[in-house]
Amino acid sequence: GNGASLSLWNGASGTGNLTVAGEYLYLNGSGYGTDTGALRNLKGNNTWGAGISLQSDSRINSDLNTLTITGTLGSSANYNLTVGGTGNIVHSGTLSLGTGQLNKDGAGDFMFSGASGATGKVALTAGTMHVGDDVTGSQLTTAEFSSISGTTLTIGTGAAVKATFGANTVTYFHGSLAGTGEFQMTGTLNAGNP
């Protein structure tokens, strides 16, 4: 429930990595304490190999190394998802948040390498975000994409971010844009100071 964290780490020995397969996860809240993550990668290159369903606005954190999520990650009720931490998170499944918002904070990297993803809005407020891994032609569609100075969005070869801004929408892209993929925008993007 809200206020609890499911933590993954590779044991007291510090060797080996965990793979959890076939265990569907219902995620609820921001985790134990202050924004630690309802799903939290403490240590190790660990894998959650099943689907994750958001039951409220929720957070996934990686403190160290890399957490890989291979199943569908989504919300049928348009909840918001925050991914963060100083470690990295890779999602290679389908991302489906409806009109919910994807927030990226923390110094780590979030890579979406699934075939398709859809969100109501993406807000990149710290660290880096990758769409596509130069192998998978990932497609991320959103109604709005914003970033702040010091962040980087990298779009891999064959991948695309498609943002369709609604009428009278003002958004700001202050971060860096890298990679050989496509950033497609329909509407008005303000790349300067607000």
Side-chain angles (χ1 to χ4, degrees):
N2 201 353
S5 295
L6 175 60
S7 299
L8 304 177
W9 73 306
N10 59 355
S13 66
T15 61
N17 302 302
L18 297 175
T19 297
V20 179
E23 296 290 338
Y24 200 84
L25 180 61
Y26 293 92
L27 208 62
N28 186 14
S30 59
Y32 178 77
T34 304
D35 293 337
T36 58
L39 176 61
R40 184 180 185 186
N41 195 69
L42 288 176
K43 184 179 181 183
N45 296 315
N46 302 312
T47 300
W48 191 271
I52 299 175
S53 176
L54 306 185
Q55 303 300 295
S56 66
D57 293 346
S58 299
R59 170 181 281 274
I60 298 173
N61 265 24
S62 179
D63 295 1
L64 187 67
N65 305 120
T66 299
L67 170 64
T68 299
I69 301 167
T70 62
T72 297
L73 177 56
S75 167
S76 60
N78 305 311
Y79 290 122
N80 302 320
L81 173 65
T82 300
V83 291
T86 54
N88 304 317
I89 299 172
V90 176
H91 179 221
S92 60
T94 299
L95 177 65
S96 180
L97 296 180
T99 60
Q101 179 168 316
L102 174 65
N103 303 301
K104 165 64 182 77
D105 63 14
D109 178 65
F110 174 65
M111 173 180 280
F112 171 67
S113 60
S116 64
T119 73
K121 181 179 179 181
V122 178
L124 176 56
T125 60
T128 59
M129 180 173 174
H130 281 76
V131 176
D133 54 7
D134 292 328
V135 177
T136 305
S138 303
Q139 304 285 315
L140 178 63
T141 59
T142 183
E144 187 177 341
F145 198 113
S146 65
S147 70
I148 67 169
S149 180
T151 62
T152 301
L153 169 65
T154 300
I155 306 173
T157 302
V161 174
K162 299 180 179 181
T164 304
F165 303 106
N168 302 315
T169 298
V170 177
T171 192
Y172 295 91
F173 193 97
H174 294 271
S176 299
L177 187 60
T180 58
E182 178 183 6
F183 184 77
Q184 184 183 111
M185 182 269 293
T186 303
T188 301
L189 174 67
N190 188 329
N193 292 323

